[in-house]
Structures are given as C-alpha cells and as structure tokens.
Amino acid sequence: MSSIYADSSSVYWKNRQKRHNRLITCIAIVVLALVASFGVVHTTNKNKILSQRRSLEQTNEMHWIECEARVDSRKECTDICQSERNSIQRKTMHQSCIHGCQQAHVASTALGCRGKTDGKGRHRKHVTEEDVFQDVGVLAHEHCSKFQSVDPKPDVFATCRKYHRAGTKQGYRSGMAAMTAVLEEEWESIKAERLANSDD
C-alpha cells in the first residue's frame, strides 16, 4: 500500500521533468534561431563586403600570414647575393650580404603584405617604396653594425648596407606581389562559389 507522500512525490517529479523538458526545448529553439540568423547576417555581410575584390584596408591577420608565407626571404637573398659568393673575401662578403639583405627583406615584406596603420592604429593604408625605405632602410646601420669592425674595413660593412638596401626594395615588391596574388585568388574563389550557387 502506497502512502499519500509517495504519490505526491511521484507527481512532483513528473511535473518537474515536464518543466525541464519544456525549458530544454525553448533553449534549443532560441539557439537554432540565433544560429540561423547569424548565418543569414554572415552571408549577407560576406556578399556585401566582397561584391568586389578585397582591398588592402579590408585584409586581416589570415591574409597577412598567407602573404608572408609565400615570400621566401632566404631564397631571394641567396639569389641577390650570388655575385658576392665569387668575391675575393668570399665567405665574409657573402655572409654580410645575406645578413643585410635578409634583415631588410623580412621587414619590408611584412610592410608590403600588411601595409601600415595610421598614427592612431585604426586604418591601414598601402605603403610606397619610399615609405619602406624610410621605415626599414634607415635601420641599415643598426642591422649591419656587427660587420662594422670586420676586415676588410669598411668593405664588409658597406656590402652589408648595400644589400640591405637591395633587400628592402625586393622584399617590398615581393610582399606587394604576394598580397595581390592572395587577394586575387580569394576573389576568384568567391566568384566560382557564386557561380556554382547560382546554378543550383
């Protein structure tokens, strides 16, 4: 024989389970509605922003990393410094050339890929070759300082600075070319996706 308390306890737990199930159903509906609305907003924003090829001002960390990964500073500087491999002081001159070139190449590639922020750090803009020489080129003395007292003086130091300048120029151009390729590939991919979606 069951007691009055056992029946009321059973009723209580059944009612509580129903309320719990309703709450879970409501939460699931709200979550689905949010996910669906986010998908619509995200798609709309993507189409709105990318109704044409992205500009440098619209790039982000993902684009910059891809751009910089496409530029092989070591290989490019090895090519640039090939003539110094055959110099009289071959090892020292070649080392100073590679060092100066790579120090500048990496920094100027980053500027070519990323552009530059305004003074307040809010807006990105393209940089010119002149901007790059002002930002990176002026560091030649600092980057090459370890060769300042290396014999034959001042030839080794001068070689490092000379190829620092060459690395600055080539790094900037490589960065700009890589970013153009990244943005063009992204745009072609979006156009192909739209074409495929319009056929469906």
Side-chain angles (χ1 to χ4, degrees):
M1 181 173 178
S2 64
S3 73
I4 191 165
Y5 297 111
D7 289 340
S8 65
S9 174
S10 173
V11 169
Y12 167 79
W13 286 111
K14 283 180 185 175
N15 286 337
R16 183 173 170 153
Q17 184 64 34
K18 284 180 187 175
R19 280 189 298 232
H20 181 71
N21 288 345
R22 275 190 233 128
L23 179 64
I24 289 175
T25 303
C26 288
I27 291 171
I29 290 170
V30 169
V31 168
L32 285 173
L34 287 173
V35 168
S37 67
F38 176 75
V40 168
V41 169
H42 180 69
T43 304
T44 304
N45 286 343
K46 184 176 178 183
N47 291 339
K48 184 178 177 184
I49 291 172
L50 295 176
S51 59
Q52 60 184 10
R53 199 188 107 186
R54 192 185 300 265
S55 68
L56 180 65
E57 291 78 18
Q58 296 170 322
T59 59
N60 57 42
E61 190 73 29
M62 179 187 74
H63 296 98
W64 305 331
I65 290 169
E66 174 66 23
C67 176
E68 290 169 18
R70 290 181 181 214
V71 179
D72 186 348
S73 294
R74 184 171 185 77
K75 181 184 181 317
E76 289 191 21
C77 285
T78 299
D79 293 343
I80 290 169
C81 292
Q82 191 59 40
S83 62
E84 292 301 328
R85 286 183 79 87
N86 303 323
S87 66
I88 296 169
Q89 297 286 333
R90 182 177 66 78
K91 186 177 180 186
T92 309
M93 290 298 199
H94 188 251
Q95 284 174 349
S96 69
C97 176
I98 291 287
H99 179 80
C101 180
Q102 280 189 294
Q103 291 287 317
H105 199 285
V106 170
S108 56
T109 294
L111 279 173
C113 287
R114 296 172 182 253
K116 195 173 174 181
T117 57
D118 64 4
K120 297 172 185 159
R122 283 190 235 137
H123 303 292
R124 293 208 153 282
K125 65 174 189 143
H126 280 289
V127 290
T128 63
E129 202 167 285
E130 185 179 331
D131 293 333
V132 174
F133 275 108
Q134 286 177 358
D135 290 356
V136 178
V138 297
L139 299 173
H141 192 277
E142 181 184 325
H143 287 163
C144 294
S145 61
K146 75 179 203 172
F147 293 101
Q148 201 162 8
S149 56
V150 174
D151 286 324
K153 292 188 272 189
D155 297 348
V156 177
F157 182 58
T159 298
C160 181
R161 293 182 68 182
K162 172 184 172 184
Y163 287 101
H164 188 279
R165 183 170 177 78
T168 301
K169 186 175 187 175
Q170 185 58 43
Y172 167 72
R173 291 178 178 178
S174 296
M176 290 293 289
M179 182 53 84
T180 299
V182 166
L183 296 179
E184 195 58 41
E185 286 171 21
E186 177 188 56
W187 178 234
E188 290 301 319
S189 171
I190 289 166
K191 287 196 302 189
E193 186 180 319
R194 283 189 187 153
L195 188 62
N197 289 341
S198 68
D199 290 343
D200 290 344

